[in-house]
Amino acid sequence: MPLHVPPAPAPALRSVLTALGSPTAVREARTPSLRTAQGPTTPELPLPVHVLDRITPEGVSATRLAGWRFVIRCGDRAVAAAETRLTPDGWAFSHFFEGPYIASTERALRQAESSTQPYQARLLSVPSLYMLTLWLHGDCSSDGTTGHPAATDLLVPLAPAPPGIAAHRPHRVAELLPVLTLRVPPDPGPLLGSPA
């Protein structure tokens, strides 16, 4: 069953195309692979990036859409990624980057393509654990910008994964969130003397 990738908002794609066409943006990027790319570069594979801000002891999570991520290709090779963010004026280019998560995301997507169940591909970041996962969401009709991880959705930790969590092994949300709950530092709540 094919993996569903929601279309990115047109302004997000335009902002990445504009940045790729800007010699200054490319030259100032901390991405040697992008700066030295020979030939045209294209943004592909847009994925919404959701952030998991909070995990409760019950495993219920709160997420928010933080941006869209595009893989930047030169020929048949991924050379970098571009991230966009939502501003008061709409979607805007944020930055280029490279590193292990690009290849790891591509690997996880190839694995997910072999699934017999249809899923919508998203990324889910868990900042408190320095963890990024491929989120395989069961609602393929969604626009990719809303929703929370359902118990039956799959999370595939990308490499490098936190110690004790296997990268590229799919986990049902209902199984992985309780494990993450044990690793996330507790919310200290408001400090004494600070406004609540």
Side-chain angles (χ1 to χ4, degrees):
M1 196 53 82
L3 195 61
H4 297 268
V5 177
L13 176 58
R14 276 194 305 272
S15 73
V16 172
L17 289 169
T18 300
L20 281 171
S22 165
T24 303
V26 171
R27 187 174 53 250
E28 291 179 358
R30 293 185 181 146
T31 52
S33 296
L34 181 61
R35 287 195 309 264
T36 60
Q38 299 294 315
T41 53
T42 56
E44 298 178 0
L45 199 61
L47 293 174
V49 180
H50 293 259
V51 176
L52 183 64
D53 288 318
R54 181 174 37 98
I55 305 173
T56 67
E58 297 80 29
V60 178
S61 60
T63 63
R64 63 182 166 81
L65 179 66
W68 285 80
R69 183 172 294 175
F70 297 78
V71 172
I72 306 299
R73 290 196 175 282
C74 181
D76 63 349
R77 189 171 72 92
V79 294
E83 190 122 337
T84 63
R85 60 183 166 78
L86 190 57
T87 69
D89 296 324
W91 288 101
F93 171 75
S94 176
H95 61 281
F96 292 116
F97 65 95
E98 58 185 57
Y101 284 132
I102 298 168
S104 187
T105 300
E106 289 188 309
R107 176 181 168 188
L109 286 165
R110 282 192 303 273
Q111 286 177 275
E113 282 286 345
S114 64
S115 174
T116 57
Q117 182 174 342
Y119 287 106
Q120 182 185 82
R122 303 171 172 200
L123 293 173
L124 182 65
S125 172
V126 186
S128 58
L129 294 177
Y130 302 100
M131 180 178 178
L132 184 64
T133 69
L134 176 65
W135 172 12
L136 299 174
H137 189 51
D139 181 4
C140 294
S141 64
S142 167
D143 65 1
T145 63
T146 59
H148 297 290
T152 56
D153 287 355
L154 295 178
L155 297 177
V156 182
L158 301 180
I165 296 177
H168 297 286
R169 183 174 166 261
H171 301 270
R172 294 238 176 259
V173 167
E175 298 164 358
L176 187 58
L177 283 186
V179 172
L180 298 182
T181 302
L182 300 174
R183 294 169 172 252
V184 173
D187 183 1
L191 300 173
L192 287 176
S194 67

